[in-house]
């Protein structure tokens, strides 16, 4: 009789500590989970309320005893990334002037040029119909920060190279459309487009001729104005392909005939190079880059997409320099927009269609 009682008492003795000390690992697990969620929120995976984000920044600065420590830099980098993505995603023909005047240069595009380039190219790939808007936005940035425009041009050329090597028609068409509108905005030279077209017409395929016609449809009007001889060479080559039947394909024949129909109408009204609402930069203010399409090494500088902490003193100095540059830029453009010329007031960015009558 004693053995069952002893056997029943043993579980009771072991159960008591399990209720007391056994809860401590559960509490530690909950605290560890909270810390994981906070760390996840810092990287942008979970929404953090502004008051909590400010508290985290204050705690990080207090721990490091530096107002521009690595943790604060990381949080500002995430805020910059979200702001750039939001700005690029909401830009349109109707609001691009307001974005250019107000929000664009308040963001540190010099530090976040990799983020800006990635956001623009991703948005363009997702919405090719808005390529002309993204190209206009790039043109504005390129007129003030040419290194940012050059980076976007180089990454577009890299995207073209990879798509051409992989025979990826969807990506290739999007890359060609971006190159076309960058040329329309004078961000890249017309020689870049000529190299692309000659590459397509060297080794004739159904897709290469079709994409070439689409490319010339997008930028033919501007190319004809900049280099009429080059346009004549390309059109004569397409005419030869059509008349000699070098590609016996109805789709190719239709693409070439459709292009010549648009050419006879001087690309009006649906294929104008730059619509008046997007003529935001005077030609003398634009920097034009020549991009290597076939030969030469292109550096996409993908390292710029990744956060890298800097020394607090250097970070503080660079932020101060950018704020001074941004302030002088915005004030200069604001004073230019209020200046009177020829009986009207010209808005900033050299917009040719933005004259306001005097009151």
């Amino acid at each position: 009789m004693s053995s069952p009682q002893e056997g029943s008492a043993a579980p009771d003795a072991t159960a008591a500590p399990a209720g007391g000390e056994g809860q401590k690992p559960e509490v530690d697990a909950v605290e560890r989970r909270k810390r994981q969620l906070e760390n996840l929120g810092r990287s942008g995976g979970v929404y953090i309320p502004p008051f909590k984000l400010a508290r985290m920044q204050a705690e990080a600065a207090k721990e490091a005893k530096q107002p521009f420590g690595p943790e604060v830099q990381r949080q500002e980098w995430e805020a910059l990334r979200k702001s750039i993505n939001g700005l690029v995603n909401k830009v349109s023909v109707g609001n691009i002037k307001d974005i250019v005047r107000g929000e664009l240069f308040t963001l540190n595009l010099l530090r976040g040029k990799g983020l800006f380039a990635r956001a623009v190219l991703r948005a363009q790939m997702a919405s090719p119909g808005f390529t002309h808007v993204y190209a206009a936005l790039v043109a504005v940035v390129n007129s003030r920060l040419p290194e940012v425009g050059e980076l976007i041009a180089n990454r577009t050329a890299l995207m073209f190279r990879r798509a051409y090597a992989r025979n990826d028609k969807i990506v290739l068409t999007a890359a060609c459309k971006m190159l076309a509108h960058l040329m329309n905005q004078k961000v890249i030279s017309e020689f870049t487009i000529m190299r692309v077209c000659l590459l397509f017409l060297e080794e004739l395929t159904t897709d290469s001729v079709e994409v070439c016609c689409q490319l010339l449809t997008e930028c033919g009007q501007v190319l004809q104005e900049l280099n009429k001889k080059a346009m004549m060479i390309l059109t004569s080559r397409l005419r030869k392909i059509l008349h000699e039947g070098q590609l016996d394909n109805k789709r190719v024949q239709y693409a070439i005939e459709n292009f010549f129909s648009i050419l006879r109408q001087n690309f009006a009204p649906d294929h104008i190079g730059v619509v008046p609402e997007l003529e935001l930069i005077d030609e003398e203010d634009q920097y034009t880059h020549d991009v290597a399409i076939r030969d030469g090494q292109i550096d996409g500088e993908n390292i710029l997409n990744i956060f890298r902490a800097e020394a607090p003193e250097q970070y503080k100095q660079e932020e101060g320099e950018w704020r001074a540059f941004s302030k002088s830029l915005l004030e200069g453009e604001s004073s230019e927009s209020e200046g009177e010329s020829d009986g009207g007031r010209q808005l900033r960015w050299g917009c040719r269609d933005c004259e306001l009558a005097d009151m």
Side-chain angles (χ1 to χ4, degrees):
M1 297 295 293
S2 61
S3 58
Q5 293 177 357
E6 292 176 358
S8 61
D12 295 336
T14 57
E21 296 179 357
Q23 292 179 353
K24 190 172 182 180
E26 295 180 1
V27 174
D28 293 340
V30 172
E31 294 296 326
R32 186 165 58 252
R33 179 59 179 164
K34 288 182 179 179
R35 288 195 295 271
Q36 290 175 354
L37 287 177
E38 288 184 352
N39 292 333
L40 184 61
R42 293 171 189 170
S43 63
V46 175
Y47 170 74
I48 301 177
F51 73 92
K52 187 176 181 181
L53 186 61
R55 185 188 67 191
M56 291 167 56
Q57 290 176 340
E59 291 175 355
K62 185 177 180 180
E63 290 175 1
K65 296 183 179 180
Q66 295 172 342
F68 295 99
E71 191 62 33
V72 175
Q73 292 183 30
R74 179 181 293 277
Q75 292 169 4
E76 291 188 355
W77 173 269
E78 290 298 328
L80 178 63
R81 179 183 63 82
K82 293 177 182 178
S83 299
I84 289 175
N85 288 341
L87 183 146
V88 171
N89 289 334
K90 74 178 182 180
V91 69
S92 65
V93 176
N95 65 10
I96 187 171
K97 294 175 186 175
D98 296 329
I99 289 176
V100 164
R101 295 185 187 110
E103 304 174 52
L104 184 62
F105 289 104
T106 60
L107 305 176
N108 192 338
L109 296 180
L110 202 57
R111 182 182 303 280
K113 62 181 180 179
L115 299 176
F116 181 73
R118 183 175 63 180
V120 168
L121 293 180
R122 282 183 175 179
Q124 189 269 335
M125 277 292 299
S127 304
F130 289 91
T131 303
H132 59 304
V133 181
Y134 300 130
L137 185 66
V138 172
V140 173
V141 176
N142 182 67
S143 66
R144 300 304 187 263
L145 300 170
E147 57 269 34
V148 180
E150 184 179 14
L151 177 63
I152 294 176
N154 287 338
R155 289 190 178 183
T156 307
L158 279 175
M159 184 169 65
F160 170 85
R161 282 186 180 182
R162 292 166 183 163
Y164 184 81
R166 298 170 183 170
N167 291 325
D168 190 342
K169 185 179 178 182
I170 296 177
V171 178
L172 186 66
T173 303
C176 287
K177 193 166 187 176
M178 188 65 179
L179 288 172
H181 285 282
L182 288 177
M183 193 215 70
N184 290 341
Q185 292 285 351
K186 310 295 191 305
V187 177
I188 63 175
S189 68
E190 69 274 15
F191 300 106
T192 303
I193 299 298
M194 291 167 56
R195 296 187 193 106
V196 172
C197 293
L198 292 176
L199 177 63
F200 283 142
L201 298 179
E202 278 183 3
E203 299 180 3
L204 296 179
T205 64
T206 302
D207 290 338
S208 68
V209 176
E210 187 176 1
V211 175
C212 182
C213 291
Q214 294 176 3
L215 173 62
L216 290 175
T217 300
E218 296 290 339
C219 64
Q221 186 183 49
V222 177
L223 181 60
Q224 196 169 21
E225 295 174 358
L226 296 177
N227 197 324
K228 192 171 184 179
K229 184 177 180 180
M231 189 66 176
M232 290 177 61
I233 293 173
L234 295 175
T235 53
S236 63
R237 181 75 177 96
L238 289 174
R239 189 176 288 109
K240 183 178 180 181
I241 294 172
L242 179 64
H243 290 169
E244 295 183 0
Q246 297 181 16
L247 287 175
D248 189 13
N249 186 286
K250 295 294 184 181
R251 193 177 66 188
V252 172
Q253 295 175 5
Y254 173 77
I256 298 176
E257 290 174 354
N258 183 57
F259 167 71
F260 280 114
S261 175
I262 295 172
L263 179 62
R264 284 192 293 269
Q265 299 174 9
N266 197 23
F267 299 92
D270 298 327
H271 302 283
I272 298 175
V274 181
V275 296
E277 294 83 1
L278 297 179
E279 293 181 348
L280 305 175
I281 301 296
D282 287 336
E283 190 171 349
E284 59 270 15
D285 294 334
Q286 191 59 277
Y287 290 86
T288 303
H289 309 281
D290 192 17
V291 182
I293 291 296
R294 303 181 62 176
D295 303 322
Q297 186 175 1
I298 301 177
D299 186 7
E301 299 183 73
N302 291 327
I303 192 66
L304 296 175
N305 300 341
I306 303 172
F307 167 75
R308 290 177 299 170
E310 299 178 357
E313 295 79 9
Q314 181 182 356
Y315 185 86
K316 181 179 180 181
Q317 180 182 356
E318 291 176 355
E319 285 296 310
E321 291 174 354
W322 172 259
R323 283 194 294 269
F325 170 77
S326 176
K327 183 178 179 181
S328 63
L329 180 63
L330 294 175
E331 288 179 352
E333 298 299 342
S334 178
S335 61
E336 181 182 343
S337 67
E338 295 175 358
E340 295 184 3
S341 64
D342 299 332
R345 287 185 297 166
Q346 182 93 13
L347 291 181
R348 59 174 171 263
W349 307 115
C351 182
R352 280 172 275 178
D353 66 326
C354 299
E355 291 187 355
L356 300 177
D358 283 334
M359 299 299 293

